[in-house]
Amino acid sequence: MLYPNLKMRLLDLPYPNRCDCCYAKIPYDQQICKECLDALLALRIRYADWAADQSAQPWDGGTVLFSYKDVARNGIIAMKEGDRGFANFAAEQLALLIRTECAPESISFVTWVPVARRRRRTQGYAHAENLGRAIAKALDIPARGDLLTEQQTSLRQHELPAEARSVYAQRFRFCGGNLEGKRILLVDDVLTTGSTLRRCTDLLRDAGAEWIYIATVCARIREPNPADSNI
Ligand SMILES: [Zn+2]
């Protein structure tokens, strides 16, 4: 074919493709503009950076991509508003990392932190689910959305102080079933205090899960207190 991408190029005229982080117009075959990619690269962190100042976690390991700020935070907001572009981009990057960190063929399935049914109905999507399903597809392993559920509450987690989050995390429930011997990849968007993922890990572990690995797009790293440097 002479112009294999002609249709895409023509579609690009009335409906320009936009960067998933800053909404700038970009060529039809890109997901994220060059500036945002460079900015994301500068925000790259490792799971160990988050885990360094935390106590022991109930999961067996984890992976994260970016520090939760600036352009990465914009991507997460776009994802929460239903934009699949950043979710797909992050899923591809996470899948690449997971492939190097653990053998994907040894993972039984991918699951994710759920959203309450009513909230899902009004939103029309669940961003951690979009992410989890995209990772499962990239790794060619099964995805399961039938294990965990969230009870509806009017509280918003990101507005709660850290100490209230573990109590709030009790709203997650296990739907039932035997997970004996299962090796599970558990997905969420942002790792903050870890209370949500701890609760979900405990529920899966109580049901018999043998190994649980977490994957999140971002993690909030505690900024060093400027006052400390004066000591
Ligand atoms: Zn951009």
Side-chain angles (χ1 to χ4, degrees):
M1 204 190 293
L2 199 53
Y3 301 108
N5 298 318
L6 185 61
K7 191 178 162 199
M8 293 304 291
R9 285 184 198 278
L10 288 176
L11 272 175
D12 211 32
L13 297 176
Y15 305 108
N17 188 30
R18 291 185 184 272
C19 168
D20 292 317
C21 293
C22 72
Y23 297 106
K25 286 184 194 173
I26 50 172
Y28 73 92
D29 55 352
Q30 291 179 11
Q31 278 173 302
I32 290 177
C33 76
K34 169 96 174 49
E35 288 74 22
C36 287
L37 269 182
D38 289 345
L40 281 171
L41 214 59
L43 293 175
R44 182 77 181 88
I45 53 166
R46 284 168 212 298
Y47 170 74
D49 299 327
W50 177 86
D53 58 353
Q54 304 279 339
S55 47
Q57 303 300 332
W59 46 75
D60 298 281
T63 193
V64 305
L65 291 174
F66 310 116
S67 178
Y68 183 66
K69 53 187 178 186
D70 308 330
V71 67
R73 192 167 164 273
N74 293 348
I76 295 285
I77 291 168
M79 205 170 102
K80 285 188 170 179
E81 287 170 350
D83 189 319
R84 284 177 187 248
F86 187 75
N88 289 339
F89 165 78
E92 281 167 23
Q93 302 303 313
L94 280 170
L96 283 174
L97 280 179
I98 292 161
R99 227 181 246 125
T100 64
E101 291 167 4
C102 27
E105 61 277 9
S106 73
I107 304 174
S108 312
F109 55 82
V110 177
T111 193
W112 44 84
V113 172
V115 295
R117 225 176 285 161
R118 190 163 13 124
R119 188 142 54 92
R120 196 200 154 126
R121 253 203 317 270
T122 48
Q123 288 182 167
Y125 59 86
H127 57 273
E129 176 174 349
N130 289 348
L131 185 68
R133 289 195 185 279
I135 293 173
K137 198 173 161 199
L139 292 174
D140 198 22
I141 52 181
R144 285 191 66 175
D146 60 339
L147 298 173
L148 300 167
T149 180
E150 183 196 25
Q151 293 182 324
Q152 186 73 35
T153 150
S154 56
L155 295 171
R156 308 283 290 178
Q157 172 163 265
H158 62 269
E159 293 165 0
L160 294 175
E163 59 274 16
R165 287 179 172 229
S166 60
V167 178
Y168 182 59
Q170 299 300 311
R171 73 195 185 285
F172 293 104
R173 297 275 190 271
F174 183 61
C175 300
N178 182 0
L179 298 179
E180 216 132 310
K182 298 295 183 204
R183 296 172 61 82
I184 303 173
L185 182 63
L186 175 61
V187 171
D188 201 6
D189 54 355
V190 183
L191 178 59
T192 303
T193 64
S195 61
T196 295
L197 285 166
R198 258 196 302 280
R199 167 71 173 163
C200 293
T201 297
D202 289 345
L203 291 170
L204 297 171
R205 195 80 84 184
D206 288 348
E210 175 195 304
W211 176 91
I212 297 165
Y213 201 81
I214 62 155
T216 68
V217 182
C218 289
R220 272 188 216 245
I221 305 285
R222 261 182 253 168
E223 300 288 339
N225 187 345
D228 292 348
S229 58
N230 296 331
I231 298 170

